[in-house]
Amino acid sequence: MSELYAANIETALKTFITDHRGTLTREQAISTILENWFASHGYLPPQQEGRRPEDLDASNDD
């Protein structure tokens, strides 16, 4: 990677960490960014939260 890109990426990473102050270490931020990118580009399945279909019933309706 060229020095120009490294500086831009470092700035973006610092901004990302600042936006998530107190919740992410540098390593966690990099991992989060990579997971999001891989998932949005089809390399990882999207992270979904919630109940499994077999656990759903009428009592789960909001």
Side-chain angles (χ1 to χ4, degrees):
M1 191 177 328
S2 76
E3 192 61 35
L4 173 64
Y5 294 118
N8 288 343
I9 290 172
E10 185 63 31
T11 299
L13 180 59
K14 286 179 181 178
T15 302
F16 184 87
I17 293 169
T18 299
D19 287 349
H20 299 85
R21 187 171 301 273
T23 60
L24 294 175
T25 64
R26 180 181 177 84
E27 290 76 20
Q28 290 168 326
I30 292 169
S31 180
T32 298
I33 292 164
L34 288 172
E35 273 187 45
N36 290 336
W37 189 91
F38 285 136
S40 69
H41 288 82
Y43 295 101
L44 281 174
Q47 298 296 325
Q48 296 181 352
E49 305 254 342
R51 296 186 182 268
R52 297 173 54 88
E54 60 268 19
D55 295 334
L56 294 175
D57 59 31
S59 68
N60 306 124
D61 293 343
D62 290 328

